[in-house]
Amino acid sequence: MAGSDAVVLAEVVRSQVETHARFGGVVPELAGRRHIESIDLVVQEALALAGVGVRDLSAIAVTGGPGLIGALLVGVSYGKALAYSLNIPLIPVNHLEGHLSASWLGPTRVTQPFVALIASGGHTNLYHVKAWGESVLMGRTLDDAAGEAFDKAARMLGLDYPGGPAIDRLAREGDPRKAPFPRPYPTCDDLNFSFSGIKTALLYYLRDCEAAGRSWHVPDVAAGFQQAVVEVLVEKTLAAARLAGVRDVVVTGGVAANSQLRTRFEARGKEEGCAVHIPPFRYCTDNGAMIAVAGARLFQGGRVATLEFEPRADWAIGG
Ligand code: KG4
Ligand code: ZN
């Protein structure tokens, strides 16, 4: 299946943001409970919207990991029950492969080999994807994930969870030059990331302002912080593409929804002669369509599982 031939018949996303917002981050126990409450409703709604019945299904794709085990167990158990009762195959999908596959849901055709950046709340990984199913990890974060850094920075600034969208919105009204932040390893050849330095710099910036009795302009700070993170993500990814000798770049995961990241990638990609593929906004953050499209490809390759499959909280791509 060529990526862009996939057609999404229906998509339903049930967000848990409201449940977790007051805690400033995801509470694993609550995440599992909300999954139990929602999963059947979401599936029924998607089937109704698509105008198909369960008996029209050929296979069930489900996220098998990595992620919170409580939430994974709910999805995998539900998927197993459905697959068993309909006597159709179960296809466990790696969540990160799902994010990569979101690139098939965009308007442009991605050709292999390519370099991919997956930047989400739990991961910041750079891959050299030589062929589908054959990815080599080129770099990763040594501490916080990029999305996690956005969430923590937002919390320090008194903004709502999730922090990425809040910082993205505010940064549009700010001037990054008024609150500059350090760029960890922006140019050197090391393709790993580290976001704890930027986070600490923000903490000190706010502390210094407080000690000096100065107030800070939240949009400027948001813009300065965002620019530092975006620049590092863009430059390291393009450095990875140069190193791998590829001209196609995929950028995906929740942080790929960031407006400045998208603009900057497009501009720098053009300068470097790279085609940068970023899925439509709604397919960057977690969604079922990316799991379905990844599952469809695995199904065509006969990559189905038995009902013995157990979710894997730390499942690496290709593992
Ligand atoms: O991929 P995702 O939906 O879930 C995970 O697999 O983690 O990513 C969620 C992360 C959160 O940390 C959120 O703050 C970040 O993506 N995010 C953004 C934006 N939208 C979501 N970060 C920066 N700018 C955004 N517009
Ligand atoms: Zn995700």
Side-chain angles (χ1 to χ4, degrees):
M1 178 178 67
S4 342
D5 296 342
V7 176
V8 178
L9 296 180
E11 48 181 299
V12 179
V13 173
R14 179 71 47 97
S15 168
Q16 294 195 5
V17 162
E18 274 176 26
T19 301
H20 303 287
R22 64 199 159 106
F23 301 106
V26 175
V27 182
E29 171 67 16
L30 290 179
R33 285 174 192 227
R34 289 290 104 84
H35 270 63
I36 294 174
E37 289 163 11
S38 312
I39 193 157
D40 192 48
L41 295 172
V42 168
V43 171
Q44 298 305 333
E45 197 179 331
L47 288 170
L49 277 174
V52 300
V54 281
R55 306 225 163 264
D56 298 319
L57 302 176
S58 322
I60 305 291
V62 65
T63 304
L68 295 173
I69 195 67
L72 292 170
L73 271 167
V74 174
V76 170
S77 307
Y78 182 90
K80 277 183 187 177
L82 207 51
Y84 179 69
S85 63
L86 295 167
N87 196 22
I88 55 177
L90 175 78
I91 304 165
V93 175
N94 180 293
H95 182 75
L96 300 173
E97 291 245 17
H99 274 303
L100 281 184
S101 306
S103 59
W104 295 347
L105 299 168
T108 53
R109 202 167 271 262
V110 184
T111 49
Q112 305 134 23
F114 59 86
V115 156
L117 168 71
I118 302 181
S120 68
H123 296 87
T124 305
N125 292 354
L126 271 173
Y127 294 97
H128 181 187
V129 181
K130 298 180 177 177
W132 285 108
E134 199 192 330
S135 310
V136 177
L137 186 66
M138 298 182 80
R140 63 182 175 88
T141 183
L142 302 174
D143 38 61
D144 292 346
E148 195 179 355
F150 270 103
D151 294 339
K152 287 179 177 169
R155 201 167 175 180
M156 285 186 230
L157 290 169
L159 307 174
D160 285 342
Y161 172 85
I167 289 185
D168 193 349
R169 261 193 315 276
L170 273 172
R172 283 175 213 160
E173 300 148 30
D175 180 353
R177 287 165 305 183
K178 294 199 175 141
F181 285 93
R183 276 89 166 128
Y185 333 124
T187 50
C188 78
D189 286 342
D190 184 337
L191 292 176
N192 289 324
F193 300 93
S194 167
F195 295 105
S196 65
I198 300 180
K199 193 181 61 187
T200 311
L202 172 59
L203 186 73
Y204 288 163
Y205 178 89
L206 301 180
R207 203 182 278 172
D208 290 349
C209 284
E210 240 166 34
R214 263 184 288 128
S215 63
W216 55 84
H217 186 52
V218 178
D220 289 345
V221 182
F225 177 85
Q226 177 177 271
Q227 194 181 62
V229 175
V230 163
E231 215 167 274
V232 173
L233 291 172
V234 171
E235 295 310 321
K236 290 243 168 187
T237 306
L238 293 175
R242 281 194 299 271
L243 198 72
V246 302
R247 298 241 157 256
D248 279 82
V249 172
V250 165
V251 185
T252 180
V255 179
N258 184 272
S259 51
Q260 200 198 350
L261 185 87
R262 299 172 83 95
T263 321
R264 177 99 185 165
F265 253 118
E266 251 156 55
R268 286 286 295 116
K270 255 186 209 139
E271 282 171 15
E272 299 257 334
C274 281
V276 180
H277 309 269
I278 311 181
F281 190 82
R282 66 186 185 286
Y283 296 135
C284 287
T285 44
D286 286 352
N287 64 90
M290 70 185 197
I291 303 300
V293 74
R297 180 181 52 81
L298 292 169
F299 180 54
Q300 286 188 337
R303 302 266 305 277
V304 302
T306 67
L307 295 181
E308 308 293 302
F309 176 82
E310 296 289 351
R312 296 164 62 183
D314 55 359
W315 188 5
I317 281 189

